[in-house]
Amino acid sequence: MSPLSALIRRDIRIALRVGGGALIGVLFFLTVVVLMPFAVGPDLALLSRLGPAILWLGALLASLLTLDRLFMADHEDGSLDLITMSRTPLELACAAKALAHWLAAGLPLIVATPVLGLLLNLDMVATGAVTLTLLAGTPALTFTGMIGAALAVTLHRGGLLMAVLVLPLSIPVLIFGVAASQAAISGPLSFGAPFSILCALSLVSLVIGPFAAAASLRHGLD
Amino acid sequence: MSLIDLANPTRFLALSARVLPWLAAATIILLTIGLYQSVTAPDDYQQGATVKIMFIHVPNAWLSMFVWGVMSIASLGTLVWRHPLADVAAKAAAPIGAAFTFLALLTGSLWGRPMWGTYWEWDARLTSVLILFLMYLGLMALWRAVDDPSRAARAAAVLTLVGAINLPIIKFSVDWWNTLHQPASVMRMGGSTLDKAFLIPLLVMAVAFTLLFVTLHIAAMRNEILRRRVRSLQMMQASQKAA
């Protein structure tokens, strides 16, 4: 078994067991969506219009919530030092960790989306559009968020700071995610244009995220 | 005289002390000329006197991006060449850049009210500049979150370089998204569309604001170097007392 696949399997296993708490993200997602009808009122027509935005915001906040575990737990028990010193390039290790995090924390959010869409009175097309945009967009959230997580772990007390640093970077993902879902539901514009920008954002973050995270880990941990 | 000579903070302090009065004088002269030209510039046939907000707004907006560019180069200096003054430059620039960005947003909103009928519009250019402002604030928070300056410098340098992606987004936002903000008219292919009566004061103001930034930046860098010296002296004193 190669070191990278071992790392991915280890991270997923930790995340799914008690203490890792990747599924807490889904619970948080559910809570955010349930809070919305209390805030805007139980008007089903209004909720179905706001639905894509609510689901995107919930997924964004839920993935932010789980991100600080990405490096923090490994830093506390010392395994991050081992990963840094191993012969596997740190960039690849960061990418593997982010992939594992997305599989364990991001994918459950996408699976939960159709169920939560029912609560918000979304029809089939809208649910499909939101799920598809989340599938394309959440990797960007994870891989840009990883930069913030790496910065936060080198600062020791970065929890709240991480949110401040990461959220501006995730605004473009949010814009195009919601724009694509709205376009699929009602919009005069086509679904393809914002959706391909969303895919491009994900691909760019796949490249930039591991390098930036590895750089900040390497400079911060000495 | 090269960048390496400036790596010595003492030499930088000596040199900047000599340069700073001239820079400040040049800034004041150019700002006076620019402001005079702005006030006496003719009213626009459509916008009337409010067009004069442009002479403040555009330089601020230009500086908000230029300062992040300077910080990105300084961050490269920190991470790649390990230039000792690079992180001082990056740290000193952040609050100044945040101030320019805030002024650009403020003057833009004051200009938007009579022209567009609204103080704020969620348009691509406005939103991306607001994100830039948020990133300046986050960067300043990052600088303050760490006690050790060199450690904070490297974390901030990574974030600065990542945030530099926002610059082309801001620059081209008016071309990519057809929204309320007017498209580029000064720096564009095929020359400026601006009339000379507006273009000349605008360029004078842009140069004056850039000089203002350079002056403030060098002064802030001197403060930062002296602040670090005081800090290390205090730490030496504390360790002597403890011994």
Side-chain angles (χ1 to χ4, degrees):
Chain A
M1 198 160 54
S2 81
L4 286 181
S5 65
L7 189 63
I8 294 175
R9 290 168 64 118
R10 165 186 171 274
D11 269 27
I12 293 178
R13 213 175 297 145
I14 292 177
L16 293 182
R17 287 184 184 163
V18 180
L23 294 176
I24 290 179
V26 179
L27 192 60
F28 181 78
F29 190 19
L30 174 70
T31 316
V32 170
V33 170
V34 168
L35 277 178
M36 284 300 159
F38 290 109
V40 301
D43 177 1
L44 279 182
L46 181 65
L47 280 179
S48 70
R49 201 148 52 82
L50 294 177
I54 294 173
L55 288 173
W56 257 94
L57 267 182
L60 178 73
L61 294 176
S63 72
L64 189 72
L65 182 78
T66 47
L67 263 173
D68 70 328
R69 284 201 194 81
L70 191 57
F71 294 111
M72 197 64 86
D74 281 358
H75 182 56
E76 278 163 3
D77 66 14
S79 45
L80 189 60
D81 293 326
L82 289 179
I83 295 171
T84 321
M85 285 188 294
S86 75
R87 270 187 295 172
T88 321
L90 189 56
E91 285 81 5
L92 277 181
C94 284
K97 281 187 76 66
L99 178 66
H101 180 269
W102 182 75
L103 287 174
L107 213 49
L109 295 180
I110 296 162
V111 175
T113 304
V115 184
L116 298 181
L118 280 180
L119 292 178
L120 294 172
N121 193 30
L122 290 187
D123 58 20
M124 285 294 283
V125 180
T127 309
V130 174
T131 314
L132 193 61
T133 51
L134 277 177
L135 187 65
T138 42
L141 296 182
T142 307
F143 276 80
T144 49
M146 173 171 65
I147 304 170
L151 286 173
V153 80
T154 58
L155 305 180
H156 303 297
R157 47 177 180 186
L160 199 59
L161 187 60
M162 193 192 80
V164 175
L165 299 179
V166 165
L167 280 180
L169 296 177
S170 53
I171 290 173
V173 183
L174 184 70
I175 290 175
F176 289 108
V178 175
S181 352
Q182 293 286 11
I185 298 165
S186 57
L189 296 166
S190 70
F191 175 74
F195 186 72
S196 33
I197 295 179
L198 190 65
C199 295
L201 285 174
S202 277
L203 291 175
V204 169
S205 66
L206 284 183
V207 179
I208 292 175
F211 280 94
S216 59
L217 283 182
R218 212 175 267 137
H219 289 296
L221 287 179
D222 49 23
Chain B
M1 187 51 225
S2 68
L3 267 178
I4 298 299
D5 288 339
L6 282 177
N8 183 340
T10 311
R11 290 191 69 170
F12 174 80
L13 283 179
L15 193 74
S16 60
R18 262 186 292 156
V19 174
L20 207 50
W22 296 98
L23 271 176
T27 309
I28 291 169
I29 293 169
L30 261 184
L31 260 183
T32 317
I33 297 173
L35 282 173
Y36 176 74
Q37 282 184 332
S38 310
V39 172
T40 53
D43 288 355
D44 187 66
Y45 75 101
Q46 267 184 330
Q47 307 193 355
T50 52
V51 75
K52 283 166 191 170
I53 301 175
M54 173 180 79
F55 300 121
I56 305 286
H57 171 69
V58 175
N60 272 315
W62 141 248
L63 259 296
S64 70
M65 295 195 279
F66 177 75
V67 174
W68 197 283
V70 168
M71 280 161 43
S72 305
I73 296 169
S75 303
L76 277 182
T78 304
L79 290 179
V80 181
W81 304 300
R82 310 204 170 240
H83 193 284
L85 279 181
D87 63 316
V88 175
K91 185 177 183 183
I96 307 175
F100 280 127
T101 315
F102 176 73
L103 286 176
L105 287 168
L106 185 73
T107 53
S109 125
L110 290 179
W111 195 8
R113 180 65 196 170
M115 288 304 106
W116 299 342
T118 170
Y119 285 112
W120 184 258
E121 172 75 30
W122 289 99
D123 136 282
R125 171 64 65 87
L126 273 60
T127 315
S128 51
V129 174
L130 184 63
I131 296 174
L132 184 71
F133 182 59
L134 290 179
M135 291 198 318
Y136 271 117
L137 295 186
L139 200 61
M140 284 158 66
L142 184 62
W143 274 109
R144 280 157 185 265
V146 195
D147 299 329
D148 179 15
S150 72
R151 218 182 154 85
R154 285 170 292 183
V158 174
L159 189 70
T160 311
L161 288 176
V162 172
I165 302 167
N166 200 12
L167 293 184
I169 296 182
I170 296 176
K171 174 77 185 78
F172 294 112
S173 58
V174 281
D175 304 329
W176 291 342
W177 293 282
N178 240 333
T179 45
L180 206 50
H181 200 282
Q182 60 170 341
S185 49
V186 179
M187 275 197 276
R188 68 187 272 276
M189 303 287 280
S192 172
T193 53
L194 229 60
D195 189 77
K196 267 214 177 79
F198 298 116
L199 186 62
I200 292 172
L202 185 61
L203 289 180
V204 173
M205 286 297 274
V207 176
F209 267 73
T210 313
L211 274 179
L212 177 67
F213 164 68
V214 174
T215 312
L216 291 176
H217 190 210
I218 289 180
M221 280 175 74
R222 289 170 57 82
N223 284 347
E224 178 61 24
I225 292 171
L226 295 174
R227 198 177 297 131
R228 287 188 187 184
R229 288 200 172 163
V230 169
R231 180 175 178 270
S232 55
L233 283 177
Q234 280 172 338
M235 284 170 75
M236 268 166 58
Q237 199 182 24
S239 63
Q240 272 173 358
K241 264 186 197 157

